[in-house]
Amino acid sequence: MKFTRLILGAGFLLLAFVPTGFAQSQFLISARQGDLIQTVTDGASLTFSSEGLRQPVSATLTVTYRGASSALVGGFDLAGTTDFTVGASPELPATLNPNDSVVFVIQFSPTTTARSSVRFRINFTEGRTSSGINFNLTGITPDFGFSYAPLPGGNQNSVPAGGTVVFPDTTVNADGSVLFVISNRGSGPGTLNGITLSGANFTLSGLPILPAVVQPGLDVRVTLKFSPLALGTGSGTVRVDFVGRSATVNLTAAGVGTSFSYELVTASGSQVFTADQTLTLPQTNLTQTTAVVVRVRNNGNSDGVITAIQATGAAEITLSNVPFLPLTVASGGLFTFTINFAPTQPVTSTARLRIGDAFFGLSAVGSGSTLTYALTVGSATSAVSASGSVVLPPAQLGGTSTGVFQISNTGNAPAAINSISVTAGSAFTLARIPALPAQIAAGQSLSFSIVFTPVANGSATATLSVNSATFTVTGAGADPPPLPAIAFPGSSATSEAATQVGLGVTLASGYPVDLTGKLTITFASDVFNDDPAIQFAAGGRVVSFTVPANTTRAVFAPNASEARLQTGTVAGTITVTATFATTAGNVNLTPVTVPSPATTIAIRPAAPRLRSVQLSARTTTGFTLLVTGYATTRSVTGMDFTFTAANDPTRTDLKLETSSLTLNVDGPFASWFQSTASQPFGSLFTATVTFNVRGDIDAIQSVAATVGNALGKSGSMAVNLR
């Protein structure tokens, strides 16, 4: 007796103890899986180890006859679960002579992770004796599952693939950890190839040496850590790679803590400030009191406690409406208190403000200043009263006029200028504005320029604001300068019909403002019929263009220097007229001349032209041609056809009786060109000409056609009949 153990690749075959008997003595049986080959015996137990559901493993059994005569292998039986199949087998029955072999490939593809068993028997007959070779087949499969437990002492929770591991809330700049467990709950060992972690602020530790084989009932444990650097949620994934598949588990965590923000609310708006920043309180006149509100908000995601709110320093700066302390501020909650400034001297007062553990500087100016205003135009200066009018000199459209606005402090304390603005989108702009906020010392002044750039004729107004003071600014726009001379590059006096020409627009010199314009086509027909085909390539008889300020060439969409124009097929004169206006204000600048800026293109009368000759139909007794072309005078009087004889060595009987034919078509063409139906086609035509052939039509190799009128004939075009 003997014991044999066989390990094969991803699965393994375990051959149990069996007695040496008749089958063993007459047959040599080998099992192969991967690169490993072992000799087995009749009655062996073979175990197939798969790495997962529907991940097949197979073994090849080679049965070699070692007897002295011959054996007949009649068939095989496979009894048990359908997870085992014979993937390849010999053609049976098969007669084996000494040293002949048959091969069976057995495959295990598990549909369950439970242990599976079947009986496999190979039936044979040797002489008069029938027997069989038996094997007991067992399939085992791993089944991996996931669970986690918050550290250091949380309860374990199962989590499916695609599920989510939820970390406990973690304080910012601290660490939160969970134990992540990968368990083999199946019937066989499985291979763990890799564990990969992704996501900001997540780390992985305790990773074993991989790949690792995990036996049934055992597990692999790693530690997942979340280390938030800021408030808010974080997300990531853990990917676990097995043989032939992978699974992903999501991670979610939250960084928690308190985060206070501070806002100073005044009558003119609000200002966010931060720790160690110095807050400047509004300038306050002596004997008056200014109150500003401080708004404190907990932007964190956990409660915070404020233990102190106080101001130390100048007696002129005090606090009021302070809440009772200590104060618990919930996440998202806020509280307010008031800073009061009541100056008694024209000096700058300072204090130190404490809110909880944060400190801020406070600065306030007591003032007795008085502001006065003046406007200087050229060498003349005139006073401007608060809420008064500022009048700038007239300016030609495309030009500017300028005045200097001066703010003087005639008081005995500095004055703060916090804002200077003029109505947005108006014809007025500001230049050389000092950096704001600005202070004007007692007896000093500051100035800036007001620039008037009219976009239309007539009066224009806007509002100038200096701090809370407002002024009405007015100016008058004068007539714009005339346009320079206009040219149409690309235009020619004459052009062929049915062509496309490029046409541009240029100015003799640059104009000071942006211009818009249009080109408009009109057509004077020589034959009293319009041609709708005469239009711009972009469609229609009107096309727009722009001329950027201080340039000379018109720009057509899309960024082209010329517009393409189709000349049509009717004789006459095309006139292209240009109009101009300012982009801002839409002031018409088209020169008042007779005629208006325009160019003309003459489409000359010419003999008809052919575009194609096509064979429309052909029978044994005739054929029909489609003759397409155009005639700029909308007149066709004759059509000539020339027939070329066929040269067919196999048909010596063919004979061409007629070599040419002339048709008078003045009437049919006159009817077409005078019809309403022809109007959309200019002078285009398609003539259908039917020929009846007496004799054998195969005698005609090809037909050439020309058309003509009083101005001459077209070129010839031919079509083959054979």
Side-chain angles (χ1 to χ4, degrees):
M1 295 184 295
K2 56 183 177 180
F3 290 90
T4 304
R5 177 178 176 85
L6 173 61
I7 300 176
L8 301 178
F12 62 88
L13 303 179
L14 175 62
L15 307 185
F17 164 76
V18 295
T20 302
F22 175 74
Q24 176 65 21
S25 64
Q26 298 298 95
F27 291 91
L28 175 65
I29 308 167
S30 66
R32 175 174 182 170
Q33 191 171 42
D35 295 328
L36 185 61
I37 302 174
Q38 293 282 344
T39 299
V40 297
T41 61
D42 177 29
S45 294
L46 285 70
T47 300
F48 290 67
S49 180
S50 171
E51 282 289 349
L53 294 178
R54 296 177 182 81
Q55 294 193 39
V57 294
S58 61
T60 301
L61 294 180
T62 302
V63 180
T64 303
Y65 178 61
R66 302 296 296 273
S69 57
S70 66
L72 177 67
V73 179
F76 63 86
D77 298 315
L78 187 65
T81 175
T82 58
D83 288 356
F84 283 91
T85 58
V86 178
S89 64
E91 293 186 6
L92 301 178
T95 299
L96 302 182
N97 294 315
N99 297 319
D100 287 346
S101 301
V102 290
V103 177
F104 297 86
V105 177
I106 303 174
Q107 180 171 284
F108 172 57
S109 181
T111 60
T112 176
T113 58
R115 179 181 294 267
S116 302
S117 298
V118 299
R119 177 178 173 275
F120 179 60
R121 175 182 175 85
I122 303 172
N123 300 311
F124 70 90
T125 300
E126 184 182 21
R128 295 182 180 182
T129 302
S130 296
S131 185
I133 306 172
N134 298 286
F135 301 96
N136 296 312
L137 310 182
T138 301
I140 56 175
T141 308
D143 180 17
F144 285 101
F146 309 106
S147 61
Y148 72 95
L151 295 175
N155 294 325
Q156 192 156 351
N157 304 280
S158 64
V159 59
T164 301
V165 171
V166 180
F167 280 70
D169 288 345
T170 304
T171 303
V172 173
N173 296 320
D175 297 328
S177 301
V178 299
L179 180 67
F180 186 68
V181 182
I182 305 166
S183 305
N184 184 355
R185 305 166 301 188
S187 59
T191 303
L192 177 61
N193 280 333
I195 305 175
T196 306
L197 180 71
S198 66
N201 302 323
F202 289 94
T203 55
L204 171 69
S205 63
L207 189 68
I209 297 175
L210 299 176
V213 175
V214 184
Q215 298 297 329
L218 299 182
D219 57 43
V220 172
R221 303 183 174 210
V222 295
T223 300
L224 308 180
K225 182 184 295 183
F226 176 60
S227 306
L229 302 177
L231 299 177
T233 59
S235 61
T237 60
V238 174
R239 172 175 168 167
V240 183
D241 293 316
F242 305 103
V243 174
R245 65 189 182 92
S246 63
T248 299
V249 175
N250 299 310
L251 307 177
T252 183
V256 300
T258 59
S259 175
F260 288 104
S261 64
Y262 311 93
E263 187 178 9
L264 185 68
V265 183
T266 68
S268 59
S270 61
Q271 172 193 351
V272 176
F273 59 95
T274 58
D276 297 324
Q277 182 177 342
T278 296
L279 305 180
T280 301
L281 304 181
Q283 180 175 299
T284 304
N285 289 334
L286 304 181
T287 72
Q288 294 182 349
T289 300
T290 295
V292 297
V293 174
V294 174
R295 183 182 296 154
V296 182
R297 186 186 305 272
N298 182 1
N299 297 312
N301 47 19
S302 64
D303 294 348
V305 177
I306 299 295
T307 58
I309 302 174
Q310 62 187 46
T312 57
E316 292 85 0
I317 300 176
T318 60
L319 304 182
S320 62
N321 301 321
V322 175
F324 291 106
L325 301 175
L327 175 66
T328 299
V329 186
S331 172
L334 60 84
F335 67 91
T336 61
F337 62 90
T338 304
I339 302 176
N340 305 292
F341 174 51
T344 58
Q345 300 180 57
V347 296
T348 298
S349 300
T350 60
R352 183 172 176 81
L353 173 66
R354 178 184 178 184
I355 305 174
D357 295 329
F359 293 87
F360 313 87
L362 296 177
S363 176
V365 175
S367 174
S369 64
T370 301
L371 298 180
T372 61
Y373 312 96
L375 178 70
T376 299
V377 177
S379 59
T381 300
S382 57
V384 178
S385 62
S387 302
S389 296
V390 177
V391 181
L392 297 183
Q396 191 178 50
L397 189 66
T400 60
S401 65
T402 303
V404 177
F405 192 83
Q406 181 173 291
I407 308 170
S408 300
N409 181 6
T410 59
N412 61 357
I417 304 298
N418 297 310
S419 64
I420 300 173
S421 64
V422 71
T423 305
S426 67
F428 300 90
T429 57
L430 304 180
R432 295 192 296 276
I433 300 176
L436 299 179
Q439 280 196 343
I440 307 175
Q444 299 298 311
S445 63
L446 62 79
S447 62
F448 57 90
S449 297
I450 306 174
V451 181
F452 174 48
T453 306
V455 297
N457 292 341
S459 178
T461 62
T463 298
L464 171 67
S465 300
V466 177
N467 285 352
S468 60
T470 60
F471 309 86
T472 300
V473 184
T474 62
D479 290 336
L483 279 178
I486 301 165
F488 299 88
S491 174
S492 60
T494 61
S495 179
E496 294 292 333
T499 60
Q500 194 177 90
V501 298
L503 184 64
V505 179
T506 60
L507 304 178
S509 59
Y511 198 75
V513 297
D514 292 339
L515 301 178
T516 59
K518 293 181 179 180
L519 291 181
T520 303
I521 296 174
T522 57
F523 178 59
S525 173
D526 288 351
V527 291
F528 309 106
N529 284 93
D530 194 13
D531 184 355
I534 299 174
Q535 58 179 324
F536 290 105
R541 292 190 171 183
V542 178
V543 67
S544 299
F545 61 84
T546 61
V547 182
N550 301 311
T551 66
T552 60
R553 182 174 288 275
V555 178
F556 299 86
N559 199 28
S561 60
E562 63 178 22
R564 305 298 295 178
L565 182 151
Q566 299 173 167
T567 61
T569 61
V570 176
T573 301
I574 299 172
T575 301
V576 183
T577 304
T579 58
F580 298 83
T582 61
T583 300
N586 195 32
V587 177
N588 183 17
L589 298 177
T590 305
V592 185
T593 59
V594 181
S596 297
T599 184
T600 59
I601 304 171
I603 308 304
R604 296 174 295 189
R609 298 256 181 114
L610 287 181
R611 287 190 165 182
S612 67
V613 176
Q614 300 177 355
L615 180 63
S616 174
R618 182 184 185 276
T619 67
T620 57
T621 60
F623 61 91
T624 300
L625 299 182
L626 296 181
V627 182
T628 301
Y630 62 88
T632 59
T633 59
R634 291 174 61 85
S635 169
V636 177
T637 58
M639 302 181 72
D640 294 328
F641 298 92
T642 302
F643 305 93
T644 301
N647 183 12
D648 189 344
T650 66
R651 294 287 306 278
T652 58
D653 59 320
L654 296 178
K655 183 177 180 182
L656 182 63
E657 299 292 346
T658 303
S659 61
S660 63
L661 177 65
T662 298
L663 299 179
N664 184 343
V665 294
D666 188 22
F669 272 88
S671 296
W672 162 249
F673 285 126
Q674 292 172 11
S675 69
T676 303
S678 71
Q679 302 307 309
F681 301 99
S683 73
L684 293 172
F685 63 84
T686 297
T688 303
V689 184
T690 301
F691 297 86
N692 295 316
V693 179
R694 290 180 296 178
D696 194 334
I697 195 171
D698 287 339
I700 306 173
Q701 175 66 36
S702 63
V703 182
T706 62
V707 294
N709 60 16
L711 296 177
K713 288 187 177 183
S714 70
S716 175
M717 296 189 76
V719 63
N720 286 323
L721 269 63
R722 297 187 48 158

